[in-house]
Amino acid sequence: MRHWLLPLILLAEIAFFTALSGQSFSSTADAVSYFRSYFADLLCQSAPVLLIAFGMTIVLMTAGIDLSVGSMVALVACVMASFPAGPEFWWTAVPLGLALVLLLGATNGALIAWLDVPPIITTLGTMILYRGLCFVVMGDLEKSPFLSVPGYEWLGQVSGAALLLIFTFGLAGFWLKRSRWLREILMLGGNPIAARYAGIPVSRRLIQTYGIVGLLAFLAALTFTARNSSVSASSLTGLELQVIVAVVLGGTRVQGGAGSMLGTFYGVLIIAVMDEGLRGAAQWGSRNLPFKISHLEYILLGMLLIAGVWLNTRERSTAKTPPSK
Amino acid sequence: MSPSLLQLRSVGKSFGSTRAVRALDLDLGAGEVVGLIGENGAGKSTLIKILSGVHTPDSGTISLNGNAVQFSSPHEAMDAGIATIHQELAYCGHLTVAENLLLGEHWPRHAWGGVDWARLHEEAARQLARCQLNISTQKAFSDLTAAQKQEVAIARSLNRNAKLLILDEPTASLTEPEVVRLFAHLERLRSEGVAILYVSHRLDEILKLTNRIVVLRDGELVASYRTAEATVSRMVKDMVGRPLDQVYPRSRSPQKGEPMLELDGVSLAGLFENISLKLHAGEILGLAGLVGAGRSELARAIYGLYPCHAGAMRLKGRPWSPRGADEALAAGLVYLPEERKRHSLVLEHSVRDAISIGFTDRLTRWGMIRVNDERRAVAESMQRYDIRAGSADQPIGTLSGGNQQKAILARWLERKPDVIILDEPTRGVDVGAKAEIHQLIDRLAGSGRAVLLISSDLPEVLGMSDRILVLHHGAVAAEFTGDAMTQENVILAASGLHLARP
């Protein structure tokens, strides 16, 4: 059902918000050029979320969750921002940022695997902790060295973002989908005891999973900083919410053991279109309503999350009914 | 016999297609101690759960003091005067003895509504004294010994005017002096007119304590007699019932090969102790014993899931101290765990995934599973092990128990392992699949594999094995070969009587 439902919702949403924005097209060429720039914008804008959501999908497959993603992206951006701009940025800040974020991710995984603390609590802790580190690194400043780094800007443009996304989702579609690694992750998420009995190194897999989220957080930080050019200690608060809603909406179960990358892709875009659409409708709303339309965002996000989880449980319970012997 | 306190008439209870208890009649008089015995799966726990209000029977009537009763919750059974002391006591460990004792009762309060702790502890102390217990009411419940916990549990039910006390394996975690103390306590209760239903695998205790014995087998009450007329051999015969007429496949030669797995004084604190055994190629070694005797724990330790504290193991002649199941699999050792759903399966995953997860390492190139090879391998193995499913894409949870079990066997046997540990391989499996699995096990041994067979199904373990080790309380109680492999010998050894009565 998801396979056609999600793209349908996405199209309906785009149509709705395009109509709402009062855009009128005089010719086909006009429409094509409008939608070309619309989608280019959408892609660049949602690139960080897409990258993170990809990692979150794997985390949810293990029946885990990672609340620290927003803080992780912000922290690596903050650390990189404290380096001086210039060509040397590429071989100082960037590799250091990568190492740091892998460490942050693997720390999440190690805490969950070895201390046996539930993921939601562990990553809530590191979410706060990493955010605290952002403030230690940045104070109250807002820094923007990024666009002074030669070539950095490209990462935030369509070609850069698209390349990163194609690379990541291509890897997912081609390698990950058929990998033994993912098979083991799915079994681990569906039944951790059975996974251990089947000889799957559960702790190692968990650390790898959260490490991958770290790696993706790094890529997300690159696209985010290249597009927004500046970063402060409170950047990207609430990113984790958007990501989780998108992944769940895409059909990945919070109970683990199943998930869909394509679903996640649609989920992120549905939310990005809504986000953008509401912002565009702000003008319209202020004249007719006692509140700003853009302020509806969290309400809609909450409703989407609950609807998504409900749909997932329903699908699961119908799948479980045994037809016969 | 004293006037009937509890009366069961043609009580039945089914779970799905399994009839756990059928057409059961039972009478219990005040001041009577009745021993309830039966093999694992005979329906004892179902009967206890019916009496304690956990399950509602599908048919039949229960009357208490002549009045028909129907319990829809354990609370109602308790209010009616039936108290059950389960093997695992459900208590709040961090609360005090007094709080646990009076849980759910009306607690004394101060005028302004707070709990009057002084009076609460006074009341608790009075109740404990009435049962002649000397335990501080201030102590945290989790700090008590197993025996003390049980005593408090019994005191608690008596203070609620229990007329019938059901004890399920009460001595499982008690030491010898504690057992003596418990028996004295039960004797006193009996003289006060409390009826006791005593459920145990320990036949010596049953003989010592009870007035009457009832035997359950396959959900039916097959015998009931006065304890004075009972002997151990009669009880065993009634429990097992079916003679060993079922034919078990034995196509293999009796020749043994090299020792494949050797254990020397292996111990794991609290689970098993000082276990030595040798398992040879081409041999089926049966491991019998009661549930909780440490059989599965031993298997898991060999498989690398638990670390051993002492002793040494050798696998195919080399020292063996695995740190995880992956090492065991790589070394050619597989383990079929005891509970399918808990230990082996993700019910939503496809039959194909469930089977191939055991040997994906052999289907992988550059980390990717070669889908076509997997498809072929799984199709072949479904045919070889006769796994009946509509398609390999079907969720494994939709298959019958027997087919699920065969799928898990296929998962491990496709690895061509040398040492195979099977834990209850035919539990919850229909008769047809059971016979197929038996033939499979025979063929495995015939082709030179070493098989360690753990089973609570006595005829099975006797019929399949070349040799039987019996575990009792985590230690090897006896080893039987040839003509000594009889049901009576195994049951006696499993209940710890073998040494006492040669």
Side-chain angles (χ1 to χ4, degrees), chain B residues 7-313:
Chain B
Q7 219 174 39
L8 270 67
R9 285 295 171 264
S10 58
V11 166
K13 175 79 188 170
S14 302
F15 299 98
S17 56
T18 321
R19 290 168 72 189
V21 167
R22 47 186 123 177
L24 195 111
D25 293 341
L26 180 67
D27 289 273
L28 262 168
E32 193 181 24
V33 182
V34 172
L36 177 63
I37 58 176
E39 280 191 283
N40 294 328
K44 294 182 310 242
S45 347
T46 310
L47 178 59
I48 296 173
K49 283 178 182 162
I50 288 173
L51 289 176
S52 59
V54 176
H55 293 328
T56 319
D58 302 330
S59 56
T61 55
I62 304 175
S63 43
L64 199 62
N65 283 328
N67 307 317
V69 286
Q70 207 165 14
F71 307 131
S72 51
S73 74
H75 209 87
E76 289 182 25
M78 180 75 108
D79 287 343
I82 299 180
T84 308
I85 313 294
H86 293 282
Q87 214 171 331
E88 309 286 334
L89 298 173
Y91 276 88
C92 311
H94 57 282
L95 296 186
T96 62
V97 169
E99 285 167 301
N100 271 298
L101 199 59
L102 298 173
L103 208 63
E105 308 262 303
H106 191 77
W107 284 13
R109 305 226 166 230
H110 287 301
W112 40 269
V115 173
D116 188 342
W117 292 106
R119 270 172 56 207
L120 181 82
H121 281 280
E122 235 169 68
E123 170 64 22
R126 193 163 53 241
Q127 294 195 0
L128 289 177
R130 202 154 66 202
C131 298
Q132 305 182 14
L133 295 181
N134 186 17
I135 299 170
S136 160
T137 60
Q138 302 276 4
K139 237 181 172 172
F141 196 75
S142 53
D143 291 343
L144 300 183
T145 66
Q148 285 175 323
K149 283 179 190 167
Q150 202 169 56
E151 284 166 349
V152 172
I154 294 174
R156 178 177 142 89
S157 51
L158 292 177
N159 288 314
R160 297 180 169 196
N161 297 318
K163 294 187 242 35
L164 168 62
L165 192 61
I166 303 173
L167 294 145
D168 186 7
E169 294 285 350
T171 55
S173 46
L174 300 190
T175 62
E176 204 48 51
E178 287 170 343
V179 171
V180 172
R181 207 176 129 77
L182 172 72
F183 280 15
H185 195 55
L186 295 180
E187 202 58 50
R188 199 163 54 238
L189 294 178
R190 181 236 300 265
S191 64
E192 287 167 17
V194 177
I196 296 172
L197 185 63
Y198 190 89
V199 184
S200 180
H201 278 293
R202 309 218 170 140
L203 303 182
D204 52 339
E205 291 176 0
I206 297 273
L207 284 172
K208 215 184 292 172
L209 185 73
T210 62
N211 312 118
R212 199 155 60 88
I213 295 171
V214 292
V215 188
L216 278 189
R217 189 205 313 150
D218 300 330
E220 280 176 288
L221 201 151
V222 291
S224 166
Y225 33 80
R226 291 154 49 80
T227 307
E229 299 159 8
T231 61
V232 169
S233 64
R234 180 174 179 189
M235 288 154 75
V236 169
K237 213 170 83 229
D238 287 330
M239 276 162 69
V240 181
R242 53 211 150 143
L244 267 180
D245 54 357
Q246 197 187 339
V247 184
Y248 286 89
R250 194 174 285 255
S251 61
R252 58 192 188 272
S253 77
Q255 226 100 57
K256 282 194 220 169
E258 296 286 296
M260 298 297 275
L261 177 72
E262 293 156 274
L263 268 60
D264 184 18
V266 172
S267 300
L268 179 52
L271 294 175
F272 52 82
E273 213 173 312
N274 194 22
I275 290 185
S276 303
L277 64 84
K278 252 188 194 150
L279 177 63
H280 301 84
E283 178 188 39
I284 301 178
L285 174 60
L287 202 53
L290 300 177
V291 170
R295 296 170 303 167
S296 301
E297 289 75 8
L298 177 66
R300 286 172 207 159
I302 298 171
Y303 187 57
L305 294 173
Y306 297 160
C308 285
H309 289 153
M313 295 193 274

Side-chain angles (χ1 to χ4, degrees), chain A residues 113-137:
Chain A
W114 293 337
L115 301 189
D116 207 19
V117 184
I120 192 163
I121 300 301
T122 310
T123 57
L124 181 65
T126 53
M127 166 182 145
I128 300 167
L129 195 154
Y130 296 165
R131 184 62 71 178
L133 289 176
C134 288
F135 282 97
V136 170
V137 172

Side-chain angles (χ1 to χ4, degrees), chain A residues 175 178 183 191 197 316, chain B residues 303 345 348-349 366 369 374:
Chain A
W175 185 81
R178 290 181 233 172
R183 213 50 97 68
N191 184 346
Y197 276 68
R316 190 184 186 204
Chain B
Y303 187 57
L345 296 176
E348 294 86 4
H349 286 181
W366 298 328
I369 295 171
E374 185 192 19

Side-chain angles (χ1 to χ4, degrees), chain B residues 398-418:
Chain B
T398 59
L399 266 54
S400 71
N403 282 310
Q404 287 181 11
Q405 190 74 343
K406 285 190 276 181
I408 304 165
L409 275 164
R411 170 195 289 181
W412 297 130
L413 297 181
E414 284 296 338
R415 296 191 68 85
K416 308 264 178 292
D418 302 308

Side-chain angles (χ1 to χ4, degrees), chain A residues 11 43 55 63 178 231 284 297 308:
Chain A
L11 283 177
L43 198 68
R178 290 181 233 172
V231 64
W284 178 83
E297 192 192 344

